[in-house]
Amino acid sequence: AGICESCGHPNLPSEINSSFKTKKVKTLVFDANQYKEQLAIYFKEIRHNFRNHLNFLIEELFKKKLPVVPVIFPSNYGFKVDIPGYENYVYNPWIEMLPSIFNPNGAISADKKNKNTRWIHFLGFDNSFFIVFLQSALILASGEYILPENFIINEFYLLDHKKFSTSQNHLLTGKEILLDISSDHLRIYLAKSNPETSQTNFNKSELINFSRQFEHLENTILELTDEINKTNGINKSSYADLLYLNYFVEKFEHWYDP
């Protein structure tokens, strides 16, 4: 199964384009529908913490049958399967990814079996089906490991209104950006424009303009602080600067509490 990055629903290539040729192959599969009731109970306990987009996806997916996901499939690229009769198969990356979380150093992590461990999973919304549904169902099937107590999703962060892409060289490196502004200003801009609840956009010109505004704010604070230290108060000419400072602080608080 593939995924629609916008709505989060799983799909098959043949559902998108009927010209795709298909063929039957022998494989091993995992059917998350067998754990739908357990998933519903699990989500009911924790979904009050979820962001709206994920809650909406959960409601939609529970209205229909979940796709049966192949655990292995024929390919020359990936982790080879060591099962007789499946010599030219590899593991589905979304399946083999889960054991790597539990076994970061090649050994079972005791924390992942300890009921007192708190596990909060951060992910992009486009991966919600595979991580929130599929991997949670796999954990339920194992009966051994703890489940995340929350899933915190982010939406897409675009670059000039297009997806970041290394293959198409549509990207900016930190080294490039920091040639023009300070790392502090970059961190604050990213906090301001982060895609926590909705898709947002990064634009270098906007960043540089923001950096100049923030530099003006910093200078204003330094000047006011110096004046207060010298005179034990402020004069009327600085009152406008204080109003500007208060306005900027209110905006800053809003960025952190959208």
Side-chain angles (χ1 to χ4, degrees), residues 19-37:
S19 65
F20 276 106
K21 293 182 179 180
T22 61
K23 67 175 182 178
K24 291 184 178 181
V25 297
K26 180 178 70 170
T27 188
L28 304 175
V29 300
F30 178 76
D31 186 359
N33 291 285
Q34 297 178 37
Y35 301 92
K36 229 175 174 183
E37 287 186 18

Side-chain angles (χ1 to χ4, degrees), residues 26-29 71-73 79-91:
K26 180 178 70 170
T27 188
L28 304 175
V29 300
V71 177
I72 60 175
F73 48 76
F79 287 101
K80 297 293 183 182
V81 173
D82 187 19
I83 302 174
Y86 297 95
E87 286 76 14
N88 297 317
Y89 284 64
V90 298
Y91 287 101

Side-chain angles (χ1 to χ4, degrees), residues 98 102 119 135-148:
L98 186 60
F102 293 137
W119 177 14
Q135 292 186 2
S136 294
L138 286 166
I139 295 171
L140 289 169
S142 77
E144 293 187 59
Y145 303 100
I146 63 168
L147 288 156

Side-chain angles (χ1 to χ4, degrees), residues 50-89:
F50 294 173
R51 290 177 175 157
N52 290 339
H53 204 176
L54 179 56
N55 269 323
F56 187 67
L57 176 63
I58 288 172
E59 290 175 6
E60 289 190 321
L61 289 181
F62 268 111
K63 293 176 181 177
K64 62 182 186 179
K65 185 178 179 181
L66 301 176
V68 176
V69 178
V71 177
I72 60 175
F73 48 76
S75 178
N76 295 319
Y77 184 79
F79 287 101
K80 297 293 183 182
V81 173
D82 187 19
I83 302 174
Y86 297 95
E87 286 76 14
N88 297 317
Y89 284 64

